[in-house]
Amino acid sequence: MWLQTQLFKIPFMLEDIKKACQVLRDGGVILYPTDTVWGIGCDATNAEAVKRVYAIKQRTDSKALLVLVDSPVKVDFYVEDIPSVAWDLIELTEKPLTIIYDGARNLAPNLLADDGSVGIRVSGEKFSQQLCQRFRKAIVSTSANISGQPTPSNFSEISDEVKSLVDYIVEYRQDDMSHPKPSSIIKLGRGGEVKVIRE
């Protein structure tokens, strides 16, 4: 029965991904499930779209935004020089891990930190992974709340205000009532130094 339910959902998920990709290509902002909490997302290479995400969050752009990609190979396109330890961390992690890298490239300048670094997470969650794969670019992922307000752990906790400000709301997993936690965050220096920001 469970398998039948999952197979029944696949066409709807693919249609959702198709619609979300079109909105992203048009410079829009989406609300979507990730490997952690629900996220506000946009094309990570589009500075105007990134600007809108900051406006929705009511947050200054002095705080960087992280991005999702669908595979470790994609990280190389967005970071100039990846310390070798990064590959081990990505491969061995058992829970969502965001790695902050120095020397970001090929991304909207206004989503980077002041020092030019960027947080990238390789998603292992079905929907966000396929979304990144089909969109073929990194996608911004920031928690679906106004800055300073509690982070919603599932779709039902997202405020109507946030929902009203995005261009597309993904239907997939709206009924998921689990309470995932934010990812762990590690900062890597160019020499391979590891600093744990959030466990």
Side-chain angles (χ1 to χ4, degrees):
M1 184 67 184
W2 179 87
L3 181 59
Q4 284 181 322
T5 304
Q6 297 309 304
L7 290 172
F8 179 72
K9 287 180 177 178
I10 288 173
F12 295 97
M13 185 182 81
L14 296 177
E15 186 61 27
D16 238 354
I17 288 172
K18 184 178 175 182
K19 290 176 181 175
C21 280
Q22 189 56 57
V23 171
L24 293 171
R25 289 189 192 102
D26 292 341
V29 176
I30 64 171
L31 196 57
Y32 70 114
T34 75
D35 52 340
T36 59
V37 296
W38 273 69
I40 300 171
C42 71
D43 177 353
T45 68
N46 184 327
E48 283 302 310
V50 169
K51 190 175 175 182
R52 275 195 60 205
V53 172
Y54 282 119
I56 291 169
K57 294 277 291 183
Q58 296 177 26
R59 157 177 152 177
T60 62
D61 61 7
S62 60
K63 290 187 176 182
L65 297 172
L66 72 87
V67 302
L68 291 185
V69 294
D70 59 285
S71 74
V73 175
K74 301 284 179 65
V75 178
D76 202 34
F77 184 71
Y78 297 110
V79 180
E80 287 175 9
D81 186 21
I82 301 174
S84 57
V85 68
W87 306 117
D88 294 329
L89 289 168
I90 292 169
E91 185 179 338
L92 298 174
T93 186
E94 295 180 355
K95 63 178 188 175
L97 173 66
T98 300
I99 300 178
I100 300 174
Y101 302 91
D102 289 329
R105 62 181 178 181
N106 300 319
L107 292 165
N110 55 338
L111 70 73
L112 307 182
D114 291 340
D115 62 0
S117 63
V118 66
I120 301 177
R121 189 165 74 246
V122 178
S123 177
E125 185 270 336
K126 184 164 52 176
F127 184 89
S128 52
Q129 188 178 56
Q130 287 199 33
L131 180 65
C132 290
Q133 186 177 30
R134 287 169 183 260
F135 185 54
R136 298 184 180 180
K137 294 182 191 177
I139 299 173
V140 165
S141 177
T142 181
S143 57
N145 61 301
I146 305 296
S147 235
Q149 293 182 2
T151 299
S153 54
N154 54 52
F155 181 78
S156 67
E157 296 178 5
I158 300 171
S159 71
D160 290 338
E161 182 180 5
V162 168
K163 291 175 184 174
S164 71
L165 294 170
V166 301
D167 301 304
Y168 183 71
I169 300 175
V170 167
E171 293 182 31
Y172 183 73
R173 277 185 53 201
Q174 285 190 16
D175 57 351
D176 180 358
M177 298 304 288
S178 61
H179 289 74
K181 294 180 179 178
S183 71
S184 300
I185 302 176
I186 289 174
K187 188 173 193 329
L188 292 185
R190 287 181 187 271
E193 306 88 359
V194 178
K195 181 180 179 182
V196 177
I197 307 294
R198 182 173 69 200
E199 290 187 9

